[in-house]
Amino acid sequence: MASVANGGAPAPRKSVTGTRLWVAVLFLLPALVLLGALVVYPIGYSVWRSLYDAGGDGFVGLDNYVDVFTDDATLTAVRNTAIWVAVAPAVVTVLGLIFAVLTERVRWATAFKLIVFMPMAISMLAAGIIFRLVYQADPDQGVANAVVTSVHDTFADSSVYPKARPNAQVSDLKASGGGSFTSTGTVTAGTPAMLPLVGIAPNRLPGDPEDARPASGDGVTGTVWLDFRLGGGGEKGRVDAGEKALEGVKVEAVKDGEVVASATTRADGTFVLPAEADGARLRLPGSNFAAPYNGIDWLGPALVTPSIIGAYVWMWAGFAMVLIAAGLAGVDRNLLEAARVDGANEWQVFRRITVPMLAPVLVVVLITLMINVMKVFDLVYIIAPQPTQDEANVLALQLFLSSFGGGGNYGLGSAIGIILLLLVVPVMIVNIRRLRKERER
């Protein structure tokens, strides 16, 4: 006002911060140029390119978008992406919350946080290679199936000699359903039963088997052995020198369809049944010959997506834990203690006070992970084997396969990219609104 009163020109307008407008524009110009070159232009070009065919010469309008929702491969990718968005962020957030709360109650909290957060230091490519090995079907190579088979074999009887079978030339054992074999004749006390088996190489027998020997005695006895030896020789149906005993084979005595007695072969292949087995038929149950349990087909069509989500959870649970633990450190402890004094148990304190007060942090973690899983690509590409990669397909991977993975259809790839952008925009809007509300507080 003083300058106007003195007849001078008005002072240049300044912003609230006191900075001239042209100065602010000058400082923002490099950032605006980079933003336009790296964000605005690629988005605009992708929108334009998605309206053209694979070669970019023919205008096809929205046909590429129609293909996304009609092609089986892209429909599978859309479905799996929806599963990822619905499951993975929620599981990671819940685990992060549990870990954050538990670390406050353990002595070695720092070491625990370090161990849980450590996978974040591993690239997605390295994590994919690690879990590709973890999920190997062979229990001798894959850690997951090694654990599963160990637990299974602890509570369930495993087969003794898989793929073994009676020597059809000399044995009267015949297949009787369920993988079992039953003799056509009956056993008599004082006459040892001879049950020769074949189908296994002598050098593939488990452990260090003893040589077989004929059974003897007045009771119901017999011998189960491998009627074959390396180098050949010997007489079929008779225990010859050097032929190996089959220890641990279960033998049942059956009369009128009911098991009246059973026994297990000894180290020398012999077995002894009680007197009530006299006149019964002998049966070798199918449990003796069933194929060994080799675990779960983690990377098969049914479980490949949950298995890959498990690898993602392993990587990102530490990220969620650290953010939630930071929010938990700001919770007023007086409120927690007051609730305990009023008679609330730990579960009530956690559910009614801790979780509501951590809600802003939980929303941040959830939204961040939702955006992250929409573009997951490398874990799926590395972990899923080629036969089941189609079942594990996601939109980001389909974009790559359509454009660069042999498809060569840049129009379809651009359309998928725009769809991914449109899926992210609502989540971004929710996040921006939440930040504005936080500032207003």
Side-chain angles (χ1 to χ4, degrees):
M1 295 299 292
S3 62
V4 174
N6 294 333
R13 291 187 62 183
K14 294 183 178 181
S15 67
V16 177
T17 60
T19 304
R20 291 180 176 85
L21 180 61
W22 68 271
V23 175
V25 172
L26 184 63
F27 276 95
L28 288 174
L29 187 59
L32 293 175
V33 171
L34 287 175
L35 186 66
L38 300 179
V39 178
V40 178
Y41 171 75
I43 291 175
Y45 180 79
S46 296
V47 172
W48 174 82
R49 188 65 180 82
S50 68
L51 302 177
Y52 285 79
D53 60 9
D57 300 323
F59 181 80
V60 295
L62 299 178
D63 287 354
N64 287 322
Y65 294 92
V66 173
D67 289 344
V68 171
F69 295 100
T70 55
D71 182 70
D72 290 339
T74 50
L75 280 177
T76 301
V78 171
R79 182 197 65 196
N80 288 337
T81 300
I83 294 173
W84 272 87
V85 172
V87 175
V91 173
V92 172
T93 303
V94 170
L95 279 179
L97 176 61
I98 294 172
F99 289 157
V101 173
L102 289 180
T103 50
E104 289 198 330
R105 300 176 178 272
V106 297
R107 294 182 58 186
W108 303 98
T110 303
F112 181 81
K113 289 180 180 178
L114 179 64
I115 293 172
V116 176
F117 188 76
M118 194 178 296
M120 282 294 298
I122 303 175
S123 68
M124 285 282 196
L125 175 63
I129 294 173
I130 290 171
F131 274 87
R132 181 65 180 269
L133 296 175
V134 168
Y135 290 137
Q136 282 290 327
D138 187 353
D140 294 332
Q141 299 179 8
V143 175
N145 271 340
V147 174
V148 170
T149 53
S150 297
V151 174
H152 175 273
D153 293 343
T154 300
F155 297 98
D157 294 334
S158 58
S159 59
V160 183
Y161 302 103
K163 298 183 179 180
R165 63 184 186 277
N167 189 337
Q169 297 178 358
V170 295
S171 175
D172 68 342
L173 289 171
K174 305 298 179 184
S176 54
S180 63
F181 298 94
T182 305
S183 63
T184 55
T186 58
V187 65
T188 305
T191 304
M194 309 301 286
L195 304 177
L197 299 180
V198 293
I200 314 175
N203 56 352
R204 296 295 181 89
L205 293 175
D208 186 16
E210 297 182 7
D211 289 344
R213 72 176 183 85
S216 59
D218 297 332
V220 180
T221 61
T223 302
V224 181
W225 82 101
L226 182 62
D227 194 18
F228 175 79
R229 62 182 179 182
L230 294 176
E235 181 181 343
K236 297 298 182 183
R238 191 184 72 177
V239 178
D240 298 307
E243 293 182 339
K244 299 300 180 180
L246 299 181
E247 180 182 6
V249 176
K250 186 176 182 181
V251 182
E252 296 176 340
V254 181
K255 287 183 179 180
D256 299 325
E258 295 184 0
V259 178
V260 296
S262 64
T264 303
T265 57
R266 303 166 182 165
D268 58 3
T270 61
F271 63 89
V272 178
L273 290 166
E276 52 264 34
D278 190 15
R281 295 183 178 182
L282 297 183
R283 181 171 67 189
L284 302 183
S287 58
N288 293 314
F289 315 112
Y293 180 73
N294 286 323
I296 300 171
D297 188 8
W298 298 102
L299 299 181
L303 293 178
V304 61
T305 294
S307 298
I308 300 173
I309 291 177
Y312 180 88
V313 170
W314 175 77
M315 287 195 66
W316 286 85
F319 165 81
M321 177 196 67
V322 170
L323 290 187
I324 296 172
L328 192 60
V331 174
D332 189 354
R333 305 295 166 172
N334 293 327
L335 293 176
L336 305 181
E337 293 301 326
R340 295 187 180 102
V341 171
D342 289 340
N345 56 39
E346 292 300 321
W347 169 247
Q348 291 172 329
V349 171
F350 173 76
R351 184 166 60 92
R352 297 183 179 275
I353 298 178
T354 304
V355 173
M357 295 191 70
L358 287 175
V361 179
L362 296 177
V363 171
V364 169
V365 173
L366 196 62
I367 291 177
T368 303
L369 293 173
M370 289 177 67
I371 296 173
N372 185 269
V373 298
M374 285 184 189
K375 56 184 182 180
V376 67
F377 158 75
D378 26 20
L379 270 183
V380 180
Y381 187 70
I382 298 298
I383 295 178
Q386 193 63 40
T388 58
Q389 193 175 86
D390 291 342
E391 283 75 12
N393 199 7
V394 291
L395 280 175
L397 177 58
Q398 183 61 31
L399 187 157
F400 170 79
L401 295 176
S402 299
S403 302
F404 313 108
N409 191 340
Y410 298 105
L412 180 60
S414 298
I416 296 174
I418 296 303
I419 290 174
L420 278 173
L421 175 64
L422 294 177
L423 291 175
V424 171
V425 166
V427 182
M428 297 285 291
I429 293 174
V430 171
N431 200 24
I432 292 172
R433 288 181 177 178
R434 184 196 59 78
L435 290 174
R436 288 179 177 174
K437 289 181 181 180
E438 289 293 324
R439 290 175 181 175
E440 291 174 358
R441 293 178 183 175

